[in-house]
Amino acid sequence: MTQRKQVLGPDDVRRAVTRMAHEIIERNRGVDNVVVLGMQRGGVWLAQALGAEIARIASPVPIGTIDVSLHRDDVGLRPVTPGTSSDVPTDIQHSIVVLVDDVLFTGRTVRAALDAISDFGRPNAIQLAVLIDRGHRELPIRPDFIGKNLPTSSEEEVEVTAEGVTIIEEGVD
Amino acid sequence: MTSHFRSIAEAGTERVRRLLDLTDHMAAVGRRPNPKVPALRGKTVCNLFFEDSTRTRMSFDLAAKRLSADTMTLAVSSSSVNKGESLRDTIETLDAMGVDAFVVRHRTSGVPWQVANWSPAAVVNAGDGWHAHPTQALLDAYTIRQRRGLTNDFTGLKIAIVGDIRHSRVARSTTEILLMLGAEVIHVAPRTLLPPTSHVPTTADLDEVIDEVDVLYMLRMQRERMGAGIVPDGGEYSRRFALDERRASALRGDALLMHPGPINRGVEMMVDPTELSQSTILDQVTNGIAARMAVLFDLLGSGEIEE
């Protein structure tokens, strides 16, 4: 039996995004130099949502996407699926890149994203924003902005949308 | 089981569509400030060219390098094949050095299938005899998709392929992929340059179709075929089948003019195609790298473990 447990509702997600937007603005003393990049695919909607909040509170920032399928450390271990593209709308040289993903788990995708970003230029800094930090890191990577810390077991799945956050546990009957 | 990319028919519709999507991804990588990615680090790609080629060989070499694979290139003029070493010995020797993929160009049809019997490596057909040139077909289809803003459905497109259809592996593979994607293909050639049986409409009158096609695909006319009795002499061929100024102006403004290269100026091409807005010839060259990256990544970057 599959168990689904909703841990955040739509209002919780909205409040978390607003708080993270404030934190990003505060940390960087404004957003003059900030570029928000959502990780394909789960981070894209969150980058849009964060960008919209930042625009509402301060001023609009460039929003883009980053695809890591050619930078992963498990190439050759998994089936190839046609990737999504990176879309970096502006020169990121000397900028502050806020890398956005929905869930931070092992950290391996973030590692790949750091490599992928450096192919586009050398930002002054890269910061990491995630809606859910579920632990189980396998690399020395930590987020700068967190929506919610969510202790999980590594067998569980975490499903994140703008409508909420759900823990899915594949149980045995 | 090792998989290969040896013909469009062997790859099948599903894989061809996936490769076109992957090509689109690779084309985006090619437009980045740093177009090189680490995807195939530690893999070795061996280019085996037993027949002259510039653009295909360079394109495969660059595609592998853009994916961070190591490359070795064997051109026949510099190899032990000239000392009488058999093809099988050559393959087994190179295989013993540790090759993950062979890219094979050979004047004899079927060689890529033989190579796959002698080595566990993946085999990519870079052109075998009159038979197949599937990466050319892939880059041609991708170029049409890109220029026309299509997805992988070419229904309603009318494409004329002009020239030596009979002896052309490009015509064979490109026709195959276009039909697979739903396009309508017509072959335009003198009767002596058409295959004995054809599963697409044919005509010997280029002027009959030129003003209605979405894509005019000109093949390279090999000079050595002229004067061998199968083709009218050069002047006669050009008069009937070459793109001259009159025909270029009959071409629709939104049509595409394609050619696999190298162009025989003064034989099938009497105008300078770089001056025609319809020309996709340089796009084809650029997209060739992305298409070959897609093929190599699909073969060498794939594994069995589901996420």
Side-chain angles (χ1 to χ4, degrees):
Chain A
M1 218 184 79
T2 304
Q3 289 194 342
R4 300 173 62 92
K5 189 173 73 179
Q6 191 175 60
V7 288
L8 294 183
D11 289 342
D12 302 317
V13 171
R14 210 172 308 122
R15 275 192 293 271
V17 168
T18 302
R19 178 174 51 73
M20 289 164 74
H22 277 289
E23 288 174 2
I24 290 166
I25 297 161
E26 191 179 327
R27 167 82 65 90
N28 296 302
R29 297 189 183 85
V31 288
D32 286 349
N33 222 3
V34 167
V35 179
V36 176
L37 294 182
M39 271 159 64
Q40 295 279 14
R41 306 175 184 256
V44 175
W45 73 268
L46 187 59
Q48 297 287 347
L50 272 174
E53 273 304 271
I54 290 170
R56 190 180 63 79
I57 302 161
S59 54
V61 291
I63 303 167
T65 60
I66 195 91
D67 173 78
V68 303
S69 53
L70 300 172
H71 293 80
R72 300 189 64 95
D73 61 6
D74 54 2
V75 166
L77 299 177
R78 306 186 312 156
V80 165
T81 47
T84 43
S85 300
S86 296
D87 173 25
V88 178
T90 180
D91 185 5
I92 59 168
Q93 195 84 12
H94 308 305
S95 68
I96 292 167
V97 170
V98 178
L99 179 64
V100 179
D101 205 359
D102 53 354
V103 180
L104 180 59
F105 188 26
T106 62
R108 288 179 189 268
T109 314
V110 172
R111 204 270 324 143
L114 296 177
D115 275 356
I117 289 169
S118 67
D119 287 350
F120 288 88
R122 185 177 185 276
N124 279 355
I126 301 176
Q127 299 165 353
L128 177 61
V130 297
L131 189 60
I132 299 295
D133 181 354
R134 62 172 292 191
H136 305 283
R137 213 79 76 240
E138 294 169 2
L139 294 173
I141 279 170
R142 58 152 185 78
D144 298 277
F145 311 103
I146 307 171
K148 185 175 175 58
N149 281 299
L150 192 64
T152 57
S153 89
S154 43
E155 283 73 42
E156 289 166 334
E157 277 183 46
V158 178
E159 182 186 85
V160 179
T161 67
E163 301 308 309
V165 177
T166 307
I167 295 182
I168 302 167
E169 190 179 1
E170 300 281 345
V172 272
D173 295 299
Chain B
M1 203 193 85
T2 312
S3 70
H4 309 287
F5 187 65
R6 298 177 296 199
S7 76
I8 294 298
E10 184 183 64
T13 308
E14 193 187 329
R15 179 133 170 255
V16 162
R17 287 171 192 268
R18 186 174 80 229
L19 285 170
L20 286 168
D21 291 343
L22 264 179
T23 301
D24 193 43
H25 188 198
M26 297 301 175
V29 169
R31 290 189 291 269
R32 303 183 336 188
N34 174 359
K36 181 161 174 155
V37 291
L40 295 185
R41 270 180 306 191
K43 302 286 185 185
T44 302
V45 175
C46 182
N47 295 310
L48 288 174
F49 280 73
F50 297 100
E51 195 184 64
D52 287 344
S53 161
T54 306
R55 70 188 64 213
T56 305
R57 197 182 71 206
M58 304 285 243
S59 181
F60 267 109
D61 193 54
L62 191 54
K65 288 183 161 112
R66 290 260 168 98
L67 290 167
S68 299
D70 293 313
T71 62
M72 306 194 283
T73 296
L74 180 91
V76 74
S77 55
S78 61
S79 74
S80 291
V81 175
N82 289 339
K83 298 183 200 162
E85 189 177 45
S86 78
L87 180 60
R88 182 175 184 154
D89 286 341
T90 304
I91 298 299
E92 287 177 349
T93 302
L94 290 165
D95 185 62
M97 294 181 188
V99 170
D100 297 291
F102 284 110
V103 174
V104 183
R105 154 78 56 103
H106 202 284
R107 66 181 176 282
T108 308
S109 300
V111 165
W113 280 260
Q114 280 182 297
V115 170
N117 290 332
W118 299 327
S119 160
V123 177
V124 180
N125 186 356
D128 64 325
W130 300 349
H131 176 234
H133 195 356
T135 58
Q136 178 74 42
L138 196 62
L139 76 89
D140 288 338
Y142 178 71
T143 301
I144 295 170
R145 166 181 151 152
Q146 185 188 48
R147 283 281 286 253
R148 296 301 289 251
L150 300 171
T151 52
N152 293 333
D153 183 3
F154 287 10
T155 307
L157 277 193
K158 185 166 182 177
I159 295 156
I161 302 182
V162 185
D164 185 356
I165 311 282
R166 183 182 184 126
H167 304 102
S168 171
R169 56 192 173 215
V170 173
R172 206 173 311 276
S173 288
T174 296
T175 300
E176 233 166 51
I177 200 170
L178 293 173
L179 293 177
M180 191 179 261
L181 297 170
E184 185 190 336
V185 178
I186 180 163
H187 286 164
V188 183
R191 195 171 303 277
T192 48
L193 295 183
L194 286 169
T197 58
S198 180
H199 50 290
V200 301
T202 62
T203 177
D205 186 358
L206 177 55
D207 296 311
E208 180 189 317
V209 295
I210 193 157
D211 55 353
E212 59 185 46
V213 294
D214 297 288
V215 178
L216 182 67
Y217 196 110
M218 306 295 293
L219 295 170
R220 169 184 164 76
M221 182 64 212
Q222 293 175 343
R223 287 169 195 272
E224 56 270 27
R225 303 223 192 282
M226 295 191 175
I230 39 176
V231 194
D233 69 65
E236 170 69 5
Y237 178 84
S238 300
R239 200 176 57 75
R240 290 177 57 200
F241 297 100
L243 188 70
D244 55 18
E245 297 218 356
R246 180 179 59 82
R247 293 196 176 107
S249 58
L251 206 55
R252 277 184 6 216
D254 66 341
L256 305 181
L257 170 63
M258 306 184 74
H259 192 295
I263 295 168
N264 264 330
R265 288 179 199 269
V267 181
E268 73 269 5
M269 198 66 78
M270 315 300 281
V271 291
D272 183 358
T274 58
E275 286 180 4
L276 297 175
S277 63
Q278 295 103 325
S279 171
T280 66
I281 295 170
L282 293 177
D283 294 338
Q284 286 170 274
V285 176
T286 306
N287 290 337
I289 297 165
R292 286 159 185 136
M293 286 171 75
V295 168
L296 290 172
F297 184 63
D298 187 52
L299 291 174
L300 301 183
S302 188
E304 304 295 325
I305 303 171
E306 297 283 346
E307 194 167 6

